[in-house]
Amino acid sequence: MEVARRRFADVVVVAPVGRLDHGSADELERVLRPLVEPSGDAPAGLVLDFGRVDYVSSVGLRVLMIAAKEMRRRGARIAVVGLQPVVAEIFAISRFHSVLDVFDALPTALKAISAAAAAAYGSPAVSTST
Amino acid sequence: MTESRAFERSFDSLAGIVAFTAEFFARAGIDASLRPVVDLALEELFTNMVKYSRASGADVDIALTAIRQGVEVTLTDHDVAAFDVTRAPDVDVTLPIEQRRPGGLGLHLVRRMLDAIEYDYAEEGRRSRITFRKTLAERPASGATATTGGEGAGD
């Protein structure tokens, strides 16, 4: 699974591409772990851009639940944006709107999480991908 | 039109199952918008078979049948204990996040996203069989029916 990563001030945006299933969930968990665990440079917010995720199974939801619990534990925000229709239905049935914040688009999420990140959005961002 | 294939009881089989479904949908002319839900149901149900019936060395048979406006799928498992997926306890998704546990959402999703799911078990050969249907038609409110079953736990 290709996972792009960008940082806007104190918020990290993680954008996986493709299917979040039994074959790729471990990879996403590996990317998220250092971002959600407490550390000196841990982000104040994490946004998962699911605009290019067309499939999520329960093992993927498990990874998101673990990340959300960890972020909440250290008082940080976690959100998801760009849900495709089938994925949005899966979120609704699983009541994941109460697990992480759901926004239509990235700018809206950044604005809700951090003024600094919202201001940084549009400026050149630091990007990495795995 | 029906096609069936046997898959080794292993998580490594999941990629082959997805490919089998994609090829069948194309050959049978089934609406591609149904594929994510069919893939989801197959992944969740097959994964449960691998996780909870490790003692069986038998392959899992998967049959796909084109039906009006959709597809019917049958998973047949051999030499296993009964586990009725239509009667397994539901997770409580209304709990606050602090009380929710990661995992366990597979059957919760499957039972709500399919048109119908049925289970039957035969003592002879200890054969477990799940049949589900997904069509473009509106889902019935109940979404699930059971014919017989046993006890157990699953995702």
Side-chain angles (χ1 to χ4, degrees):
Chain A
M1 165 176 257
E2 182 189 332
V3 184
R5 219 169 78 171
R6 291 178 292 169
R7 186 164 191 135
F8 299 101
D10 54 353
V11 174
V12 170
V13 178
V14 172
V17 178
R19 297 167 61 91
L20 182 49
D21 59 12
H22 204 277
S24 63
D26 284 350
E27 199 173 341
L28 182 63
E29 188 169 22
R30 185 176 56 76
V31 171
L32 295 182
R33 194 176 301 125
L35 299 171
V36 302
E37 287 177 349
S39 73
D41 64 345
L46 176 63
V47 178
L48 297 151
D49 183 349
F50 269 33
R52 295 172 71 191
V53 174
D54 51 22
Y55 177 94
V56 177
S57 67
S58 67
V59 72
L61 294 177
R62 181 179 177 278
V63 170
L64 300 182
M65 174 79 84
I66 291 169
K69 279 176 170 282
E70 195 64 45
M71 292 293 275
R72 181 173 287 241
R73 202 170 289 131
R74 67 174 177 85
R77 298 278 302 271
I78 184 168
V80 64
V81 301
L83 295 181
Q84 295 192 25
V86 172
V87 180
E89 185 181 1
I90 288 168
F91 267 59
I93 292 170
S94 307
R95 302 266 187 127
F96 255 52
H97 294 69
S98 64
V99 173
L100 24 67
D101 295 324
V102 179
F103 297 96
D104 289 339
L106 180 57
T108 320
L110 293 176
K111 194 175 174 185
I113 292 174
S114 160
Y121 182 73
S123 305
V126 178
S127 300
T128 57
S129 64
T130 55
Chain B
M1 176 180 181
T2 298
E3 291 184 15
S4 60
R5 200 172 290 178
F7 291 92
E8 186 184 346
R9 183 185 305 276
S10 161
F11 295 127
D12 293 340
S13 295
L14 285 166
I17 292 171
V18 171
F20 175 46
T21 308
E23 290 160 13
F24 180 79
F25 267 58
R27 273 196 293 274
I30 297 168
D31 194 303
S33 68
L34 301 178
R35 259 199 63 209
V37 174
V38 172
D39 281 352
L40 178 81
L42 275 167
E43 178 179 336
E44 304 295 352
L45 297 169
F46 185 83
T47 299
N48 272 358
M49 289 173 167
V50 175
K51 279 201 289 196
Y52 300 114
S53 303
R54 291 184 188 276
S56 172
D59 288 348
V60 176
D61 298 321
I62 296 179
L64 306 175
T65 301
I67 60 174
R68 188 171 177 273
Q69 287 195 297
V71 64
E72 181 176 279
V73 181
T74 302
L75 297 95
T76 307
D77 205 0
H78 306 274
D79 194 22
V80 294
F83 173 55
D84 187 346
V85 293
T86 67
R87 294 184 180 177
D90 237 345
V91 293
D92 186 354
V93 296
T94 65
L95 290 172
I97 181 173
E98 295 81 6
Q99 294 173 38
R100 287 183 70 172
R101 290 182 177 178
L105 286 165
L107 290 182
H108 179 86
L109 287 167
V110 164
R111 289 191 290 217
R112 285 159 180 80
M113 297 184 80
L114 297 172
D115 293 10
I117 180 166
E118 297 161 7
Y119 177 80
D120 71 70
Y121 185 76
E123 291 294 345
E124 189 178 340
R126 302 175 73 229
R127 190 218 65 210
S128 196
R129 186 165 59 201
I130 301 167
T131 302
F132 68 81
R133 284 177 290 282
K134 179 66 183 173
T135 71
L136 293 170
E138 198 68 25
R139 280 200 300 275
S142 62
T145 56
T147 51
T148 183
E151 298 299 320
D155 270 346

